[in-house]
Amino acid sequence: KAATMKTHRQGAFVSAAQAAQACGGAIDPSAPGHLQSGSIYGEYDAMLNQTALSRNANKFIKVQLIRVSAGVYLHKRWGRVGEAGQQQQIGPMDSDQAEKEFKKYFRTKTKNDWDDRDNFEAVDGKYTLIEMETDANQAAEQSKSASTASAAAGLKKKNIKPCELDSAVKDFVELIFDEDMFKSAMKQLDIDPARLPLGALSKNQVQKGRDALVDIQNAIRNGSSRHVINNLSGDFYTLIPHAFGRRVPPPLDTEDKLNKKFEMLN
């Protein structure tokens, strides 16, 4: 049976619960229903990301081979970080054809060979391979910790006396300061309460993010040009995906901004 190809858009993929499910080795929660009962074929599962401030690029690709009873499907989802984007499925195919399609696509998007991904070298203008957390329990815990840390970063609790307001006034105040409004305000400050727009990252990936921050820190202290700082900031956002909506990702051009990112990764 000849492979078929389907492409469609879908709703947002932004909640912490969904992000926690997006650990490496798990079927993309956004994949069509007929693939959800399948399994990842081999190790053919990759998350790719690319951020460049000069082009206002902040985009991802999720690509997997999913085996179901009918054969193997190549599942791809792509778009701007923080959005569901579009997706496409090609299949069903036999395993040999599916492997070839996956490797060809990976090579096209990264200029790297899948079979040599342990020696992955980032190429300017291409996508970078992101190492995801493969343990579902660790991914869920990371998502929970990220949400808690983000809330703590924006709202430090103090000892507060019991409310003595009239009940109607009290209800109005609670409405003003409800959790959804808090989360919205935090996101405007680039502090995402979920902070895992593409799913949970491996410890090794987080360390790569710290190393990228050190590079930016050295560049700032050495008086490097804005062009250099912008490029290094893009490298960090590539390694540690951030959701900025449609805005240009902000450069990490001060020690204060860097310190906030160091805290975020700790």
Side-chain angles (χ1 to χ4, degrees):
K1 182 179 178 180
T4 59
M5 180 169 60
K6 294 184 178 180
T7 305
H8 63 278
R9 297 176 184 271
Q10 64 176 41
F13 175 66
V14 294
S15 75
Q18 284 178 303
Q21 295 179 51
C23 61
I27 293 175
D28 183 359
S30 298
H34 72 280
L35 297 182
Q36 293 296 331
S37 60
S39 59
I40 299 298
Y41 173 71
E43 296 183 346
Y44 292 93
D45 175 29
M47 179 66 79
L48 310 176
N49 195 44
Q50 180 187 159
T51 304
L53 278 62
S54 61
R55 305 193 305 275
N56 191 17
N58 191 35
K59 50 189 180 179
F60 74 93
I61 296 174
K62 177 71 170 175
V63 56
Q64 303 177 313
L65 289 184
I66 303 175
R67 183 197 288 276
V68 294
S69 58
V72 182
Y73 282 82
L74 176 64
H75 166 70
K76 299 180 285 186
R77 182 164 61 87
W78 67 95
R80 194 164 181 88
V81 176
E83 299 178 3
Q86 301 180 67
Q87 58 176 276
Q88 180 184 78
Q89 294 78 39
I90 302 175
M93 300 175 278
D94 61 47
S95 57
D96 288 342
Q97 182 183 0
E99 289 179 18
K100 290 178 182 177
E101 290 292 335
F102 184 99
K103 291 177 181 179
K104 177 182 177 182
Y105 185 76
F106 185 84
R107 174 71 184 176
T108 298
K109 295 300 180 181
T110 67
K111 290 298 181 185
N112 279 255
D113 292 325
W114 174 252
D115 290 333
D116 194 33
R117 61 190 180 281
D118 288 341
N119 300 309
F120 190 94
E121 293 285 344
V123 176
D124 187 43
K126 293 294 182 178
Y127 286 83
T128 293
L129 179 63
I130 305 300
E131 187 177 327
M132 308 300 291
E133 176 57 64
T134 57
D135 185 295
N137 291 330
Q138 289 291 332
E141 183 62 28
Q142 189 180 139
S143 176
K144 179 181 177 181
S145 298
S147 297
T148 302
S150 291
L155 186 63
K156 296 186 180 297
K157 294 185 177 180
K158 299 179 180 179
N159 292 326
I160 301 174
K161 296 181 180 179
C163 181
E164 298 179 357
L165 293 174
D166 176 79
S167 60
V169 177
K170 178 175 178 290
D171 290 342
F172 178 68
V173 171
E174 288 178 346
L175 174 64
I176 294 175
F177 294 102
D178 74 8
E179 184 177 5
D180 289 339
M181 293 181 68
F182 164 73
K183 289 180 178 180
S184 177
M186 293 296 287
K187 286 186 177 181
Q188 291 178 9
L189 296 173
D190 295 330
I191 303 174
D192 184 357
R195 219 175 59 198
L196 301 171
L198 298 183
L201 307 176
S202 71
K203 291 181 179 179
N204 186 53
Q205 188 66 33
V206 172
Q207 183 57 51
K208 290 179 181 179
R210 293 192 186 99
D211 293 341
L213 290 177
V214 171
D215 289 340
I216 300 173
Q217 189 175 60
N218 291 335
I220 292 174
R221 292 176 178 178
N222 292 332
S224 298
S225 68
R226 174 167 292 276
H227 175 74
V228 170
I229 299 297
N230 285 356
N231 286 343
L232 291 175
S233 298
D235 292 343
F236 170 73
Y237 293 135
T238 293
L239 295 169
I240 308 296
H242 284 56
F244 297 109
R246 292 285 164 173
R247 293 178 296 125
V248 177
L252 300 174
D253 50 7
T254 67
E255 293 277 356
D256 183 58
K257 292 179 182 178
L258 283 179
N259 288 335
K260 289 180 181 178
K261 296 304 179 185
F262 274 119
E263 292 175 5
M264 183 189 80
L265 296 183
N266 289 332

